[in-house]
Amino acid sequence: MKRIIVVGNGMVSHKFCLKLRTIAGSDTYEVVIYGEETWPAYDRVHLSEYFTEQSVDKLLMAPSDWYQDQNITLKTGQLIISIDPQQRTVLTHEGKTDHYDYLVLATGSRPFVPKIDGVEKRGVFVYRTIEDLDQIISYAKNIKRGAVLGGGLLGLEAAKALLDLNLDAQVIEFAPRLMPRQLDEAGSNTLKSEIESLGIEILLNKNTSKVAGTDQMAGLEFADGSQLDTEMLVISCGIISRDELAESAGLEKGARGGFKVNEYLQTNDPNIYAVGEAAAFNDMIYGLVAPGYDMAEIAANHITDQASKTFTGADMSTKLKLIGVEVGSFGDALGDTPGSIPISFEDKNSGIYKRINISSDKKHLLGGILVGDTSDYGMLLQITQNSMAIPPNPEDLILGTRGGQANGNTILDLPDTAQICSCENVSKGDLVDAIKSQNITDLKELRNCTGAGTGCGACSPMVGDIFSAQLKEMGQTVRKTLCPHFDYTRQELYSLIKVKGIKTYNELLDQYGEGDGCETCKPAVASLLASIWNDKILKQETIQDTNDRFLANIQKGGSYSVVPRVPGGEITPEKLIAIGTVAKKYDLYTKITGGQRIDMFGARLNDLPKIWRELIDAGFESGHAYGKSLRTVKSCVGSTWCRYGLHDSVSYAIEIEDRYKGIRSPHKLKGGVSGCRRECAEAQAKDFGLIATELGYNLYVCGNGGANPQHAKLLAGDIDEKTAIKYLDRFLMFYIQTAEPLNRTAVWLNKLDGGIDYLREVVVEDSLGIGEDLEKDMQALIAAYHCEWKEAINDEKMMKRFSHFANSDDYDPTQQFSSMREMKKPAGWESISK
């Protein structure tokens, strides 16, 4: 039996062992792993999750008994200090030698620590291992401020970790922009804006010259003479390949370090391989996990004499979610190709930036950048990698088609060779073949069968799209499940929660899910629970998104907005004075919204309960501007004041808004009531709208404004107010029960087989016989209404969450404001807001 020693116990090492056992079983090769750390291999890609869960077990690539089951000897806490290629032995730090037939160096990398005066002081950490994180967590318990040196991928992840530890966080970047290898200036500005809105300060163009303090750090000094008051520094300035074994073994190194390897991942000693961040191929070191997995598979195939492809390099495209902000960068992201033509779209209001670079002949996509919305990433990457033809109007690739014409590039247009999952090297053809040959009708089964989507997970949306498109082409019904943790559609989960009487996320996960959940399923289930039971959302605050967690919309600079409900846009002078008094007392910026109410900006987290107590005492309720729920029902002045008004639109709008306030839905809801066909309330641009006629009201549904405006469609004409409300009850409840997560009514209707005609059959004609049930369900929600802020300020335990620091009532000192037209605005945003 041949003996393989693997030095290093990270993700790539684990993948090598997995591939080796898959190819050759456990009878031909004896495998011994030497790892420096005391843990089995764990997932470094999701290392930041350790700050919230603090569980190593949840990060493990496989449990300890997996190694025993695979007949693999795992030796942890063992450092290999030298290699003797002639004797084919390795030497441990304990002086023990071990023999190999093949040696696989998966030693990974170590953090690069720049030469800064004082960098050795207490309070300075790197961000690489579980031990590093434990030290950071322990140190953070006694401080309030922490900074991260490095604005790359890992640095921003580290900043999120500091935020999770309730620290004031700053990111310091030497370059003039964040993620300088992946983003251009505009993309960096958008990302910076979004991250700073969460309360993380970004300092660019900063050359750190000194860590101040004596034995313990007390701040940072920069080459431009400025200083930063911070108590901890986490260094994340890149990696250095762990190649220190090279010299004693006579192994060649790449120009930038790393064990020099050929296309089979062999070093200059044919019995010694190197993979992952330890390997240098063509003087390039790949710091992403997908190339490492590719190397692991190629090395395993070559050692076992299996026919295999060769390693030719790797695409460094990446998509991830940084502190809740989606970021994608692919191909020639910065447009370095001579003659390339950039096309960009920027929406500062929504925090979205998209850029694509097309070839000089306008036939091919070269690469691009996505910030804030990466939903098109998978398809754009495939179009780039497979040199697919782009549409005549290439801007359609990022703006979507206008006029209903498809751009010609669908998921099934991809060539079979298109690599969908780079971690597991799964192509589109592999997925389609598996679906066809094994008659797979379940997405989870497809993932298990092919391995696609089980690595970093970036390809999961595209795997799901191929699965759905292929089944549709085969004439089969497609189930769109919520996420990998719930093999159920949103509609199925709605039924399970309701029928089984499930009241919490953990109950649902225990009974019908698997794993620990994710950022997709947690808020989606939170929305479902709220839509069914209308219970207090703060009882399960950990599954809510940031806005719901604090019952307010977070704004630039980390402050919050306060929006009391003003039903129908009608407000008394006394309430106007009350809002003015509160705004003046707490120094809030005030603005009339498009939904006919008053938004107060610039509230500090600690002040939110005090502000709301005063507003509630003045007769206000929560406006739910932070939630996926009814926002406003806009109205014109109607027949009471207007010469053209046919009906009292204000009174009717107030009745409707009070009826549906607080009801949670898959997305936000807006309504409108116009007193005549002049449509001053813009009711046809709302999710539901009523327009007065001589005989009653016309009821319109499924309209919206925003990036893709769509006029509402007529559901019923010339109906009385009572009938209109009955239809609205049914329409809204049917939408709540059947829409996919985060689908507004317009999108939902566009996906509904039969469109508005089918919806009319269900709601007006009651073709399914569920009309009364829908009305009863709606009535139950209405009866369960409660003002979330009223409940919150009367619950002392809940109120403790509204504090910026866990151990102090101090305000966030990083929040700064400047004056603007006799009010205030977030300071330091001038370059972005212009």
Side-chain angles (χ1 to χ4, degrees):
M1 181 179 288
K2 297 286 187 181
R3 183 175 173 83
I4 300 175
I5 287 181
V6 182
V7 183
N9 187 33
M11 297 174 73
V12 176
S13 166
H14 174 76
K15 180 62 68 176
F16 170 80
C17 295
L18 193 65
K19 291 294 181 183
L20 185 76
R21 285 298 185 239
T22 302
I23 297 167
S26 59
D27 297 331
T28 311
Y29 296 93
E30 179 185 2
V31 178
V32 180
I33 303 174
Y34 283 90
E36 287 179 39
E37 293 186 69
T38 55
W39 314 102
Y42 55 84
D43 183 357
R44 291 188 201 277
V45 174
H46 298 99
L47 197 59
S48 62
E49 294 177 8
Y50 185 74
F51 284 95
T52 52
E53 299 287 343
Q54 296 194 17
S55 168
V56 178
D57 289 344
K58 293 183 178 179
L59 289 174
L60 294 182
M61 303 300 294
S64 299
D65 54 8
W66 178 86
Y67 297 90
Q68 297 173 7
D69 295 342
Q70 298 295 321
N71 194 23
I72 293 173
T73 302
L74 173 62
K75 296 188 177 186
T76 57
Q78 295 287 309
L79 175 65
I80 298 298
I81 59 173
S82 68
I83 304 168
D84 185 339
Q86 283 71 42
Q87 299 299 317
R88 293 186 184 175
T89 58
V90 295
L91 178 65
T92 74
H93 74 290
E94 295 176 337
K96 298 177 181 177
T97 59
D98 200 354
H99 172 267
Y100 66 82
D101 294 298
Y102 295 103
L103 183 65
V104 178
L105 300 172
T107 48
S109 63
R110 60 183 167 84
F112 167 68
V113 179
K115 294 181 180 178
I116 300 172
D117 184 17
V119 77
E120 75 287 350
K121 289 184 172 63
R122 262 193 313 124
V124 180
F125 302 90
V126 294
Y127 187 86
R128 178 68 181 170
T129 66
I130 294 292
E131 284 76 13
D132 296 333
L133 270 57
D134 281 336
Q135 292 177 28
I136 292 171
I137 291 169
S138 175
Y139 197 84
K141 291 177 180 175
N142 300 310
I143 62 172
K144 294 181 179 179
R145 296 175 294 278
V148 176
L149 189 62
L153 298 175
L154 199 59
L156 295 177
E157 280 291 322
K160 177 184 182 303
L162 299 191
L163 204 63
D164 290 339
L165 293 172
N166 293 321
L167 297 182
D168 277 347
Q170 296 90 27
V171 174
I172 304 155
E173 170 57 47
F174 178 79
R177 61 181 190 266
L178 292 172
M179 297 177 63
R181 294 184 179 180
Q182 291 89 10
L183 301 182
D184 61 5
E185 184 176 356
S188 170
N189 284 341
T190 302
L191 177 62
K192 178 174 179 284
S193 171
E194 291 300 298
I195 292 177
E196 288 189 324
S197 72
L198 300 175
I200 297 176
E201 185 180 8
I202 307 291
L203 304 174
L204 301 176
N205 275 319
K206 285 292 182 184
N207 183 4
T208 307
S209 59
K210 183 178 181 179
V211 178
T214 52
D215 293 336
Q216 182 173 344
M217 77 164 290
L220 294 173
E221 296 177 6
F222 303 110
D224 61 5
S226 60
Q227 299 177 343
L228 178 67
D229 180 18
T230 186
E231 300 165 276
M232 180 168 72
L233 179 66
V234 178
I235 296 177
S236 179
C237 296
I239 59 170
I240 296 177
S241 184
R242 288 287 304 273
D243 58 5
E244 54 266 32
L245 293 172
E247 291 184 10
S248 64
L251 301 178
E252 295 180 12
K253 296 201 293 188
R256 299 177 182 175
F259 301 103
K260 188 173 183 178
V261 295
N262 63 15
E263 65 271 30
Y264 297 107
L265 287 311
Q266 289 173 298
T267 65
N268 54 302
D269 183 322
N271 291 91
I272 301 178
Y273 293 72
V275 293
E277 294 168 343
F281 178 77
N282 287 342
D283 291 331
M284 179 78 179
I285 294 173
Y286 295 91
L288 299 177
V289 69
Y293 280 3
D294 201 18
M295 293 177 180
E297 182 174 8
I298 293 170
N301 275 310
H302 197 251
I303 289 173
T304 55
D305 294 326
Q306 301 294 313
S308 172
K309 67 176 185 178
T310 56
F311 188 76
T312 57
D315 180 74
M316 297 299 282
S317 299
T318 186
K319 185 190 85 167
L320 65 164
K321 202 166 188 176
L322 293 166
I323 321 179
V325 184
E326 296 180 359
V327 178
S329 173
F330 59 96
D332 180 9
L334 302 179
D336 294 329
T337 305
S340 69
I341 303 170
I343 299 173
S344 63
F345 165 77
E346 188 173 10
D347 180 352
K348 291 180 178 176
N349 181 52
S350 302
I352 292 174
Y353 173 74
K354 299 181 179 182
R355 166 180 169 168
I356 55 173
N357 303 307
I358 62 173
S359 59
S360 57
D361 61 5
K362 304 180 183 178
K363 292 182 179 179
H364 300 289
L365 181 60
L366 301 175
I369 296 167
L370 302 170
V371 179
D373 177 9
T374 59
S375 56
D376 296 325
Y377 172 86
M379 197 65 197
L380 292 174
L381 176 63
Q382 293 300 330
I383 292 172
T384 303
Q385 291 182 335
N386 295 284
S387 298
M388 297 171 69
I390 58 177
N393 300 311
E395 64 272 19
D396 288 353
L397 293 171
I398 51 175
L399 298 178
T401 54
R402 272 102 45 208
Q405 299 298 313
N407 62 30
N409 289 316
T410 68
I411 196 75
L412 291 183
D413 291 329
L414 294 175
D416 286 346
T417 54
Q419 187 185 57
I420 305 303
C421 176
S422 54
C423 294
E424 294 293 333
N425 192 24
V426 181
S427 69
K428 176 213 163 191
D430 295 332
L431 293 170
V432 172
D433 287 346
I435 295 169
K436 288 180 176 177
S437 62
Q438 300 181 45
N439 197 27
I440 292 176
T441 57
D442 183 86
L443 181 57
K444 182 180 177 183
E445 187 181 352
L446 181 65
R447 289 194 181 104
N448 292 337
C449 170
T450 61
T454 59
C456 70
C459 66
S460 291
M462 182 155 275
V463 173
D465 289 344
I466 291 174
F467 173 72
S468 300
Q470 185 58 39
L471 285 188
K472 273 187 179 178
E473 188 173 86
M474 294 163 64
Q476 297 190 27
T477 303
V478 178
R479 292 173 68 250
K480 194 161 186 177
T481 55
L482 192 62
C483 76
H485 303 99
F486 287 101
D487 191 26
Y488 297 93
T489 65
R490 181 187 179 277
Q491 190 172 355
E492 289 169 341
L493 286 174
Y494 182 97
S495 299
L496 287 170
I497 292 170
K498 186 176 179 183
V499 172
K500 299 293 183 181
I502 294 171
K503 297 294 182 68
T504 70
Y505 174 82
N506 288 336
E507 281 182 65
L508 186 68
L509 187 66
D510 290 343
Q511 294 183 39
Y512 297 101
E514 61 180 46
D516 302 311
C518 63
E519 292 183 4
T520 297
C521 63
K522 287 179 180 176
V525 171
S527 172
L528 280 169
L529 291 167
S531 292
I532 295 169
W533 308 121
N534 212 356
D535 202 358
K536 300 175 187 175
I537 63 170
L538 289 188
K539 285 169 69 176
Q540 300 183 76
E541 54 108 8
T542 57
I543 62 172
Q544 311 291 343
D545 63 24
T546 301
N547 289 343
D548 275 328
R549 197 174 301 170
F550 296 113
L551 302 178
N553 282 340
I554 191 166
Q555 306 291 342
K556 286 180 177 177
S559 65
Y560 291 84
S561 62
V562 175
V563 191
R565 186 167 297 284
V566 181
E570 181 183 84
I571 187 167
T572 64
E574 287 76 16
K575 284 190 171 181
L576 275 174
I577 291 170
I579 286 179
T581 301
V582 167
K584 192 172 182 180
K585 179 177 179 180
Y586 293 95
D587 188 22
L588 304 176
Y589 171 86
T590 52
K591 189 178 186 309
I592 308 294
T593 74
Q596 298 181 331
R597 51 190 183 178
I598 300 171
D599 202 338
M600 292 175 272
F601 293 86
R604 298 179 187 271
L605 180 62
N606 307 39
D607 286 340
L608 286 175
K610 291 178 280 188
I611 291 171
W612 273 105
R613 187 177 296 281
E614 294 185 31
L615 289 171
I616 288 170
D617 287 346
F620 286 103
E621 294 179 308
S622 169
H624 292 91
Y626 46 84
K628 301 292 184 290
S629 57
L630 179 72
R631 299 290 175 84
T632 62
V633 178
K634 189 175 181 178
S635 69
C636 65
V637 295
S639 58
T640 305
W641 293 94
C642 178
R643 292 180 296 131
Y644 304 104
L646 297 173
H647 305 309
D648 181 4
S649 54
V650 177
S651 296
Y652 198 30
I654 293 171
E655 179 185 349
I656 294 172
E657 184 162 343
D658 280 339
R659 183 175 183 80
Y660 300 123
K661 63 186 177 185
I663 290 176
R664 297 286 176 150
S665 48
H667 210 299
K668 63 184 176 184
L669 290 167
K670 294 182 179 179
V673 181
S674 284
C676 75
R677 288 193 173 89
R678 286 172 177 78
E679 249 284 69
C680 293
E682 300 166 324
Q684 290 181 83
K686 310 298 184 188
D687 296 280
F688 60 87
L690 291 139
I691 301 176
T693 70
E694 286 76 5
L695 301 177
Y697 282 95
N698 285 343
L699 173 59
Y700 294 85
V701 295
C702 301
N704 68 232
N708 298 297
Q710 181 170 310
H711 254 158
K713 298 184 183 302
L714 181 65
L715 185 70
D718 294 328
I719 53 177
D720 58 37
E721 293 184 357
K722 185 177 178 182
T723 303
I725 285 185
K726 180 173 74 171
Y727 290 167
L728 273 176
D729 282 358
R730 294 179 179 182
F731 159 70
L732 291 172
M733 210 63 231
F734 191 50
Y735 162 66
I736 290 170
Q737 292 182 1
T738 62
E740 294 173 15
L742 301 179
N743 274 193
R744 286 199 68 173
T745 56
V747 177
W748 169 67
L749 180 65
N750 294 341
K751 294 180 178 179
L752 204 62
D753 286 341
I756 187 64
D757 293 334
Y758 172 71
L759 184 61
R760 190 177 295 113
E761 289 174 10
V762 174
V763 173
V764 179
E765 300 170 17
D766 197 13
S767 60
L768 300 180
I770 60 173
E772 287 189 13
D773 292 334
L774 294 173
E775 292 169 38
K776 287 179 182 175
D777 286 345
M778 177 58 76
Q779 193 55 49
L781 290 179
I782 293 169
Y785 168 76
H786 56 273
C787 172
E788 290 166 349
W789 263 111
K790 197 175 212 175
E791 300 283 349
I793 62 173
N794 290 321
D795 188 324
E796 191 174 335
K797 188 176 177 183
M798 285 186 186
M799 284 303 88
K800 289 182 178 177
R801 298 171 188 163
F802 292 86
S803 176
H804 190 75
F805 299 108
N807 54 359
S808 166
D809 293 329
D810 291 349
Y811 289 130
D812 177 359
T814 66
Q815 285 181 4
Q816 300 294 327
F817 300 95
S818 57
S819 63
M820 179 183 69
R821 295 187 290 276
E822 301 181 25
M823 291 196 284
K824 71 177 183 181
K825 66 174 183 176
W829 295 84
E830 289 79 1
S831 60
I832 297 170
S833 59
K834 284 181 179 176

